[in-house]
Amino acid sequence: MTDTSAVRAAADLWHHYGRGRAGTDRGVPGGFAWTWGQDCGPGAELLGGDLGGLTIGDLGSGSGRHAAHLVVHHRPARVDAVDASPAQCAMAEDLYGFLAPRLRLVRSEAVGHLLGHPGAYDVLYSVFGSLDFTDPAELLPAAASALRPGGLLVASTLGHYLGGAPAEADVVPADIPARTPGGAAATMRRWVLQEQVWAKALDAAGFSAVSTERVAPAVPGAAARRPCWCVLCADPERS
């Protein structure tokens, strides 16, 4: 969620994100959703079935809701919720710190964390998280290195820009609006790429068996401009 050089060099641009919900919704979610509205589509089954005893990494975990769900409802050995935002990590600790040690909250940028933990994970996932906000040329090879033999990377990302503009036909980011903790206007980078562009980037990073699923929103209308699709991939040399 917070893994770009622009974020590293600036204030915490995720300071305000999710604060309203955190004040009223403090429970562990009963479901796991990949879509923008968190209201439809596939669930945790995309992570490969039985997660019992596995080590899982949530890249750009925010307040930790998805990670908390997995810990409570799917009994993995551990879920590492990785996020570079001090505000998001503090929120996750406040909401779900009681789930330690099987939920481990890690304040770190995704690339640095992954490179420091080669072969540590059975499954990595990102729900509009680090995959959206990190240069794929850095994140994807790091993810491949951190996966164990037969490991899986699953992510949801925007199928096109929130305003309706089409996804990019090349690996290029866009500057999107953000706010500093004090409320000043700022920008951060987001990668919104076409399916075939992601597939090519994943292949270049050493992944295979790449598949995508475009999920329509549950409610038509304005939300229809915000579809997501899921990327599933495995390391070909170790699967």
Side-chain angles (χ1 to χ4, degrees):
M1 179 181 293
T2 56
D3 300 306
T4 71
S5 59
V7 172
R8 290 196 297 266
D12 184 358
L13 300 183
W14 293 98
H15 178 84
H16 301 281
Y17 187 80
R19 287 189 174 276
R21 182 180 178 185
T24 58
D25 181 5
R26 301 183 60 83
V28 174
F32 188 110
W34 297 93
T35 57
W36 183 264
Q38 298 287 290
D39 55 1
C40 65
E45 67 272 11
L46 292 187
L47 297 175
D50 183 7
L51 303 178
L54 301 186
T55 302
I56 301 171
D58 181 341
L59 306 178
S61 53
S63 61
R65 294 183 186 277
H66 287 85
H69 167 83
L70 295 180
V71 166
V72 171
H73 295 284
H74 295 273
R75 308 299 296 178
R78 191 181 75 243
V79 178
D80 287 350
V82 182
D83 203 290
S85 164
Q88 293 297 310
C89 289
M91 192 183 306
E93 177 65 38
D94 179 54
L95 290 170
Y96 305 119
F98 67 92
L99 294 175
R102 287 197 302 123
L103 175 62
R104 186 171 72 161
L105 303 174
V106 181
R107 180 179 163 186
S108 173
E109 294 183 57
V111 172
H113 176 77
L114 294 170
L115 291 176
H117 295 81
Y121 293 101
D122 299 292
V123 178
L124 294 169
Y125 71 90
S126 171
V127 181
F128 301 108
S130 296
L131 194 83
D132 280 23
F133 295 96
T134 311
D135 186 344
E138 298 181 6
L139 179 65
L140 297 180
S145 73
L147 284 169
R148 292 171 179 162
L152 181 69
L153 170 66
V154 188
S156 59
T157 183
L158 292 177
H160 49 60
Y161 286 100
L162 297 182
E168 303 289 346
D170 202 354
V171 184
V172 293
D175 289 331
I176 64 169
R179 285 189 297 155
T180 68
T187 61
M188 66 173 72
R189 285 180 166 184
R190 184 170 204 156
W191 278 259
V192 181
L193 310 179
Q194 296 177 7
E195 287 97 325
Q196 65 269 25
V197 179
W198 279 117
K200 184 177 179 180
L202 287 160
D203 180 72
F207 289 96
S208 70
V210 178
S211 64
T212 66
E213 178 181 356
R214 186 175 286 267
V215 182
V219 179
R225 300 198 309 270
R226 303 179 178 184
C228 79
W229 49 274
C230 296
V231 182
L232 289 75
C233 42
D235 186 335
E237 297 182 354
R238 300 176 295 168
S239 58

